[in-house]
Amino acid sequence: MSDHDACLNIHYSAPDEIWDKIDEVYRSMEYYCKGENCLTWQGQDIELYSSVEPGGIQISGEMPDEIWDKWYPELKAKLTEALGYEIGEPQDGFEFKHWKPYIKKASDIKEINKDKIVFRDLSEFTWSLFENRERDITAKPPFFRFSSPLIELRIIFECTGLFAGKKQRQEFREFMCRLDDLGINTLDLT
């Protein structure tokens, strides 16, 4: 019998409909047995558990290597198909899908350069994460949206007071110019 411990790139913030798909995949896997406090797979010399951790879904326990070597790739393939993005171990470079957009205030930007943007809460986003960009100065509040299939960052411009609208537009344009100066092309933004 061999011990196994693997984390998969499925974020704990996934919505209920995603957990339903995961449960469906779990049920389809050989050796499935619903546990009292967590999902398990059991059989002769097999006792695997699944739990949701900050580092992803963790699959751990005992399973003979010859079974694990077929079972585990099958689990990842079924999860990939069900969830619509590639499932694997984060330490092997598989990215998490973030189910909720990150909404940050422009006034909370701590640092911005050609590679990344950092906010006062120390959250950091590299520009290479994003495939799509859009902006809307007429939205309430105005925003820049950077996204890819796995992540969305929305930077909003909130101002209060007598001249809030004018100040929002000014900060929006300054941010756009700052991105242009860094070579982060905003001309293709819709």
Side-chain angles (χ1 to χ4, degrees):
M1 201 158 12
S2 297
D3 287 334
H4 296 282
D5 189 18
C7 267
L8 298 174
N9 61 328
I10 301 173
H11 200 261
Y12 63 86
S13 67
D16 289 343
E17 60 267 16
I18 296 302
W19 293 113
D20 291 343
K21 289 179 182 181
I22 293 167
D23 188 51
E24 202 172 299
V25 169
Y26 282 2
R27 290 174 188 276
S28 76
M29 295 299 295
E30 191 172 0
Y31 310 108
Y32 175 80
C33 178
K34 179 115 175 144
E36 196 173 303
N37 294 321
C38 60
L39 296 171
T40 65
W41 296 273
Q42 295 179 347
Q44 185 175 351
D45 297 328
I46 298 170
E47 194 167 294
L48 286 178
Y49 299 91
S50 173
S51 62
V52 180
E53 307 296 336
I57 286 184
Q58 184 174 11
I59 309 288
S60 60
E62 297 177 346
M63 179 180 271
D65 287 338
E66 60 274 6
I67 296 173
W68 176 264
D69 292 345
K70 293 177 186 167
W71 185 90
Y72 185 58
E74 181 184 345
L75 175 68
K76 293 189 296 185
K78 285 182 173 184
L79 287 169
T80 295
E81 184 177 334
L83 303 183
Y85 72 100
E86 198 167 4
I87 301 299
E89 297 182 37
Q91 66 265 23
D92 292 337
F94 290 88
E95 297 286 337
F96 282 90
K97 178 172 177 80
H98 297 274
W99 303 96
K100 295 179 183 178
Y102 290 94
I103 299 175
K104 301 290 185 179
K105 293 180 183 180
S107 59
D108 289 335
I109 295 172
K110 179 180 178 185
E111 175 189 346
I112 185 171
N113 61 45
K114 65 180 180 65
D115 299 317
K116 65 185 176 184
I117 184 167
V118 181
F119 293 87
R120 288 192 183 125
D121 65 3
L122 301 182
S123 56
E124 181 176 305
F125 302 88
T126 57
W127 296 118
S128 62
L129 289 172
F130 305 112
E131 299 170 5
N132 305 306
R133 299 174 178 144
E134 68 178 277
R135 65 181 178 212
D136 189 344
I137 197 167
T138 63
K140 303 241 184 276
F143 67 85
F144 275 78
R145 180 178 173 265
F146 302 90
S147 65
S148 73
L150 297 178
I151 190 168
E152 177 181 334
L153 169 63
R154 189 172 294 199
I155 301 172
I156 60 173
F157 296 80
E158 290 186 322
C159 299
T160 58
L162 187 58
F163 300 104
K166 184 176 180 178
K167 187 171 182 182
Q168 280 176 328
R169 289 188 297 279
Q170 179 183 350
E171 288 179 2
F172 186 91
R173 287 187 187 105
E174 286 172 1
F175 182 73
M176 187 170 56
C177 289
R178 204 166 168 193
L179 292 177
D180 285 341
D181 290 346
L182 292 169
I184 301 162
N185 191 355
T186 60
L187 296 176
D188 59 354
L189 292 173
T190 57

